[in-house]
Amino acid sequence: LLQSDEWRALPAVRSGAVAVADGNLYFNRSSCGVVEAAEIVAEAAHPELRGLFGHHGRHWVSLSELDAFCDRDGAASPTKPVALASGVAAAAVENGGGAAKLRGTDTATPSAHVDAQLKALSDGDFASAFALNSAANRTRLSGAANFEAIVKGSPSFSVLLHSSTVCVVQCEAGEGSAAAAAVRVQATAAADTAAAANIA
């Protein structure tokens, strides 16, 4: 693609205005990171804002900077192990099929993990719910207090806090120690308002 005439003819490519970011994390699904996504777009689209929100070089780079960004010390590999909270199934993130997937490596199942996190949220135990996030999400969210603020501030996630909310956890693949599962939670509040949250 990068060597094709069609690509090179694009005005953004000719002017060096192509930006690269993690689409799965920031753009391909609704999440509590929508503000970060808007900030990334603002920094990428307006050179005078580059770095204003602290995303340039961390969450996005220009195409000309991509090789250096991928080769930097501490750069994440495309597929990496994700350490979950102790006592919960270890997992690996797989980027196949466009959805993050959990692969259990002990007796806990992906849906049992999500059920435990939903129970903690319903009980108002944000410290436990935060601890049940993947290591990458715990780093990104920076602490239980920030996690709590994000959950309470998002209509899609705050519905999970109500004891009257009915949550249905769906796994796209079978459960078990070697099964991969894309987990989706469909939560319906008592007032028939629905919110969906992708849990990965």
Side-chain angles (χ1 to χ4, degrees), residues 10-84:
L10 292 171
V13 173
R14 287 198 321 265
S15 65
V18 176
V20 181
D22 185 337
N24 188 47
L25 184 59
Y26 296 107
F27 299 102
N28 297 355
R29 57 184 173 170
S30 62
S31 74
C32 53
V34 70
V35 171
E36 288 176 308
E39 291 171 349
I40 289 169
V41 170
E43 283 188 5
H46 300 283
E48 69 277 10
L49 298 179
R50 185 164 293 173
L52 176 66
F53 302 107
H55 299 296
H56 179 247
R58 288 183 36 221
H59 302 131
W60 77 275
V61 292
S62 64
L63 184 60
S64 63
E65 301 168 312
L66 184 59
D67 288 336
F69 180 76
C70 292
D71 292 339
R72 76 193 189 288
D73 286 339
S77 62
T79 301
K80 59 184 178 185
V82 178
L84 297 177

Side-chain angles (χ1 to χ4, degrees), residues 5-175:
D5 291 337
E6 293 83 2
W7 172 260
R8 291 179 179 192
L10 292 171
V13 173
R14 287 198 321 265
S15 65
V18 176
V20 181
D22 185 337
N24 188 47
L25 184 59
Y26 296 107
F27 299 102
N28 297 355
R29 57 184 173 170
S30 62
S31 74
C32 53
V34 70
V35 171
E36 288 176 308
E39 291 171 349
I40 289 169
V41 170
E43 283 188 5
H46 300 283
E48 69 277 10
L49 298 179
R50 185 164 293 173
L52 176 66
F53 302 107
H55 299 296
H56 179 247
R58 288 183 36 221
H59 302 131
W60 77 275
V61 292
S62 64
L63 184 60
S64 63
E65 301 168 312
L66 184 59
D67 288 336
F69 180 76
C70 292
D71 292 339
R72 76 193 189 288
D73 286 339
S77 62
T79 301
K80 59 184 178 185
V82 178
L84 297 177
S86 12
V88 181
V93 172
E94 300 176 320
N95 291 321
K101 295 183 179 180
L102 294 175
R103 183 177 31 210
T105 56
D106 66 17
T107 57
T109 63
S111 61
H113 180 89
V114 173
D115 284 337
Q117 189 173 39
L118 291 170
K119 171 95 170 77
L121 287 171
S122 177
D123 292 344
D125 184 357
F126 287 95
S128 294
F130 174 75
L132 288 165
N133 277 290
S134 67
N137 277 346
R138 288 194 308 269
T139 299
R140 182 176 60 83
L141 296 167
S142 74
N146 192 43
F147 175 68
E148 179 178 357
I150 290 169
V151 171
K152 286 182 173 179
S154 165
S156 294
F157 293 117
S158 63
V159 70
L160 301 173
L161 304 176
H162 306 291
S163 59
S164 60
T165 298
V166 176
C167 295
V168 178
V169 179
Q170 300 169 320
C171 291
E172 292 179 6
E175 302 261 343

